[in-house]
PDB file of all heavy atoms in Angstrom:
ATOM      1  N   ARG A 172      18.905  -0.814  -3.139  1.00 96.00           N
ATOM      2  CA  ARG A 172      18.709  -2.240  -2.896  1.00 96.00           C
ATOM      3  C   ARG A 172      18.596  -2.586  -1.413  1.00 96.00           C
ATOM      4  O   ARG A 172      17.843  -3.487  -1.037  1.00 96.00           O
ATOM      5  CB  ARG A 172      19.875  -3.027  -3.489  1.00 96.00           C
ATOM      6  CG  ARG A 172      19.871  -3.138  -4.983  1.00 96.00           C
ATOM      7  CD  ARG A 172      21.249  -3.508  -5.532  1.00 96.00           C
ATOM      8  NE  ARG A 172      21.886  -4.610  -4.829  1.00 96.00           N
ATOM      9  CZ  ARG A 172      21.749  -5.893  -5.170  1.00 96.00           C
ATOM     10  NH1 ARG A 172      20.996  -6.209  -6.199  1.00 96.00           N
ATOM     11  NH2 ARG A 172      22.370  -6.830  -4.500  1.00 96.00           N
ATOM     12  N   GLN A 173      19.334  -1.869  -0.593  1.00 97.00           N
ATOM     13  CA  GLN A 173      19.482  -2.277   0.799  1.00 97.00           C
ATOM     14  C   GLN A 173      18.172  -2.363   1.582  1.00 97.00           C
ATOM     15  O   GLN A 173      17.993  -3.307   2.369  1.00 97.00           O
ATOM     16  CB  GLN A 173      20.470  -1.368   1.530  1.00 97.00           C
ATOM     17  CG  GLN A 173      20.971  -1.965   2.851  1.00 97.00           C
ATOM     18  CD  GLN A 173      21.589  -3.343   2.660  1.00 97.00           C
ATOM     19  OE1 GLN A 173      22.449  -3.531   1.794  1.00 97.00           O
ATOM     20  NE2 GLN A 173      21.143  -4.313   3.450  1.00 97.00           N
ATOM     21  N   PRO A 174      17.237  -1.401   1.433  1.00 97.00           N
ATOM     22  CA  PRO A 174      15.989  -1.526   2.191  1.00 97.00           C
ATOM     23  C   PRO A 174      15.254  -2.833   1.921  1.00 97.00           C
ATOM     24  O   PRO A 174      14.576  -3.364   2.805  1.00 97.00           O
ATOM     25  CB  PRO A 174      15.172  -0.320   1.717  1.00 97.00           C
ATOM     26  CG  PRO A 174      16.195   0.679   1.301  1.00 97.00           C
ATOM     27  CD  PRO A 174      17.295  -0.132   0.678  1.00 97.00           C
ATOM     28  N   TYR A 175      15.376  -3.369   0.705  1.00 98.00           N
ATOM     29  CA  TYR A 175      14.762  -4.657   0.371  1.00 98.00           C
ATOM     30  C   TYR A 175      15.576  -5.814   0.939  1.00 98.00           C
ATOM     31  O   TYR A 175      15.025  -6.788   1.463  1.00 98.00           O
ATOM     32  CB  TYR A 175      14.635  -4.803  -1.146  1.00 98.00           C
ATOM     33  CG  TYR A 175      13.724  -3.784  -1.782  1.00 98.00           C
ATOM     34  CD1 TYR A 175      14.220  -2.563  -2.228  1.00 98.00           C
ATOM     35  CD2 TYR A 175      12.364  -4.037  -1.939  1.00 98.00           C
ATOM     36  CE1 TYR A 175      13.381  -1.618  -2.813  1.00 98.00           C
ATOM     37  CE2 TYR A 175      11.518  -3.105  -2.527  1.00 98.00           C
ATOM     38  CZ  TYR A 175      12.041  -1.894  -2.955  1.00 98.00           C
ATOM     39  OH  TYR A 175      11.208  -0.959  -3.524  1.00 98.00           O
ATOM     40  N   LEU A 176      16.910  -5.705   0.831  1.00 98.00           N
ATOM     41  CA  LEU A 176      17.778  -6.787   1.293  1.00 98.00           C
ATOM     42  C   LEU A 176      17.793  -6.908   2.811  1.00 98.00           C
ATOM     43  O   LEU A 176      18.211  -7.926   3.353  1.00 98.00           O
ATOM     44  CB  LEU A 176      19.193  -6.572   0.765  1.00 98.00           C
ATOM     45  CG  LEU A 176      19.331  -6.614  -0.760  1.00 98.00           C
ATOM     46  CD1 LEU A 176      20.777  -6.375  -1.175  1.00 98.00           C
ATOM     47  CD2 LEU A 176      18.824  -7.943  -1.320  1.00 98.00           C
ATOM     48  N   ASP A 177      17.331  -5.876   3.504  1.00 98.00           N
ATOM     49  CA  ASP A 177      17.184  -5.967   4.962  1.00 98.00           C
ATOM     50  C   ASP A 177      16.099  -6.971   5.347  1.00 98.00           C
ATOM     51  O   ASP A 177      16.060  -7.423   6.500  1.00 98.00           O
ATOM     52  CB  ASP A 177      16.827  -4.598   5.548  1.00 98.00           C
ATOM     53  CG  ASP A 177      18.006  -3.637   5.551  1.00 98.00           C
ATOM     54  OD1 ASP A 177      19.160  -4.094   5.407  1.00 98.00           O
ATOM     55  OD2 ASP A 177      17.768  -2.420   5.688  1.00 98.00           O
ATOM     56  N   HIS A 178      15.231  -7.313   4.376  1.00 98.00           N
ATOM     57  CA  HIS A 178      14.088  -8.182   4.678  1.00 98.00           C
ATOM     58  C   HIS A 178      13.990  -9.421   3.784  1.00 98.00           C
ATOM     59  O   HIS A 178      13.282 -10.367   4.131  1.00 98.00           O
ATOM     60  CB  HIS A 178      12.792  -7.376   4.570  1.00 98.00           C
ATOM     61  CG  HIS A 178      12.755  -6.178   5.459  1.00 98.00           C
ATOM     62  ND1 HIS A 178      12.450  -6.251   6.798  1.00 98.00           N
ATOM     63  CD2 HIS A 178      13.034  -4.864   5.206  1.00 98.00           C
ATOM     64  CE1 HIS A 178      12.512  -5.043   7.332  1.00 98.00           C
ATOM     65  NE2 HIS A 178      12.869  -4.194   6.391  1.00 98.00           N
ATOM     66  N   TYR A 179      14.703  -9.410   2.645  1.00 98.00           N
ATOM     67  CA  TYR A 179      14.601 -10.519   1.706  1.00 98.00           C
ATOM     68  C   TYR A 179      15.973 -10.931   1.196  1.00 98.00           C
ATOM     69  O   TYR A 179      16.866 -10.079   1.057  1.00 98.00           O
ATOM     70  CB  TYR A 179      13.742 -10.116   0.497  1.00 98.00           C
ATOM     71  CG  TYR A 179      12.274  -9.911   0.798  1.00 98.00           C
ATOM     72  CD1 TYR A 179      11.684  -8.659   0.646  1.00 98.00           C
ATOM     73  CD2 TYR A 179      11.469 -10.970   1.219  1.00 98.00           C
ATOM     74  CE1 TYR A 179      10.338  -8.465   0.895  1.00 98.00           C
ATOM     75  CE2 TYR A 179      10.126 -10.793   1.474  1.00 98.00           C
ATOM     76  CZ  TYR A 179       9.562  -9.536   1.317  1.00 98.00           C
ATOM     77  OH  TYR A 179       8.229  -9.360   1.571  1.00 98.00           O
ATOM     78  N   PRO A 180      16.152 -12.212   0.839  1.00 97.00           N
ATOM     79  CA  PRO A 180      17.380 -12.632   0.163  1.00 97.00           C
ATOM     80  C   PRO A 180      17.500 -11.956  -1.195  1.00 97.00           C
ATOM     81  O   PRO A 180      16.497 -11.607  -1.824  1.00 97.00           O
ATOM     82  CB  PRO A 180      17.210 -14.154   0.016  1.00 97.00           C
ATOM     83  CG  PRO A 180      16.136 -14.537   0.978  1.00 97.00           C
ATOM     84  CD  PRO A 180      15.238 -13.349   1.101  1.00 97.00           C
ATOM     85  N   GLU A 181      18.720 -11.825  -1.662  1.00 97.00           N
ATOM     86  CA  GLU A 181      18.968 -11.152  -2.937  1.00 97.00           C
ATOM     87  C   GLU A 181      18.236 -11.851  -4.082  1.00 97.00           C
ATOM     88  O   GLU A 181      17.679 -11.192  -4.978  1.00 97.00           O
ATOM     89  CB  GLU A 181      20.480 -11.114  -3.215  1.00 97.00           C
ATOM     90  CG  GLU A 181      20.891 -10.153  -4.329  1.00 97.00           C
ATOM     91  CD  GLU A 181      20.723 -10.752  -5.719  1.00 97.00           C
ATOM     92  OE1 GLU A 181      20.785 -11.997  -5.833  1.00 97.00           O
ATOM     93  OE2 GLU A 181      20.527  -9.977  -6.681  1.00 97.00           O
ATOM     94  N   ALA A 182      18.197 -13.177  -4.069  1.00 97.00           N
ATOM     95  CA  ALA A 182      17.542 -13.921  -5.141  1.00 97.00           C
ATOM     96  C   ALA A 182      16.040 -13.649  -5.169  1.00 97.00           C
ATOM     97  O   ALA A 182      15.428 -13.571  -6.248  1.00 97.00           O
ATOM     98  CB  ALA A 182      17.801 -15.416  -4.985  1.00 97.00           C
ATOM     99  N   PHE A 183      15.431 -13.513  -4.009  1.00 97.00           N
ATOM    100  CA  PHE A 183      13.996 -13.219  -3.933  1.00 97.00           C
ATOM    101  C   PHE A 183      13.717 -11.854  -4.532  1.00 97.00           C
ATOM    102  O   PHE A 183      12.784 -11.693  -5.344  1.00 97.00           O
ATOM    103  CB  PHE A 183      13.534 -13.259  -2.471  1.00 97.00           C
ATOM    104  CG  PHE A 183      12.053 -13.034  -2.291  1.00 97.00           C
ATOM    105  CD1 PHE A 183      11.173 -14.111  -2.305  1.00 97.00           C
ATOM    106  CD2 PHE A 183      11.538 -11.757  -2.090  1.00 97.00           C
ATOM    107  CE1 PHE A 183       9.801 -13.918  -2.132  1.00 97.00           C
ATOM    108  CE2 PHE A 183      10.176 -11.553  -1.918  1.00 97.00           C
ATOM    109  CZ  PHE A 183       9.305 -12.637  -1.936  1.00 97.00           C
ATOM    110  N   LEU A 184      14.505 -10.857  -4.156  1.00 98.00           N
ATOM    111  CA  LEU A 184      14.327  -9.518  -4.709  1.00 98.00           C
ATOM    112  C   LEU A 184      14.483  -9.536  -6.229  1.00 98.00           C
ATOM    113  O   LEU A 184      13.659  -8.959  -6.953  1.00 98.00           O
ATOM    114  CB  LEU A 184      15.338  -8.547  -4.087  1.00 98.00           C
ATOM    115  CG  LEU A 184      15.403  -7.152  -4.720  1.00 98.00           C
ATOM    116  CD1 LEU A 184      14.070  -6.426  -4.605  1.00 98.00           C
ATOM    117  CD2 LEU A 184      16.525  -6.327  -4.074  1.00 98.00           C
ATOM    118  N   ARG A 185      15.519 -10.199  -6.708  1.00 98.00           N
ATOM    119  CA  ARG A 185      15.812 -10.209  -8.144  1.00 98.00           C
ATOM    120  C   ARG A 185      14.667 -10.842  -8.943  1.00 98.00           C
ATOM    121  O   ARG A 185      14.198 -10.273  -9.937  1.00 98.00           O
ATOM    122  CB  ARG A 185      17.113 -10.963  -8.410  1.00 98.00           C
ATOM    123  CG  ARG A 185      17.530 -10.954  -9.873  1.00 98.00           C
ATOM    124  CD  ARG A 185      18.846 -11.679 -10.102  1.00 98.00           C
ATOM    125  NE  ARG A 185      18.758 -13.111  -9.822  1.00 98.00           N
ATOM    126  CZ  ARG A 185      19.292 -13.711  -8.767  1.00 98.00           C
ATOM    127  NH1 ARG A 185      19.992 -13.005  -7.879  1.00 98.00           N
ATOM    128  NH2 ARG A 185      19.159 -15.012  -8.590  1.00 98.00           N
TER     129      ARG A 185
END
Side-chain angles (χ1 to χ4, degrees):
R172 286 161 47 90
Q173 196 55 50
Y175 297 90
L176 297 179
D177 287 343
H178 303 280
Y179 291 116
E181 194 278 333
F183 183 90
L184 171 61
R185 183 178 66 253

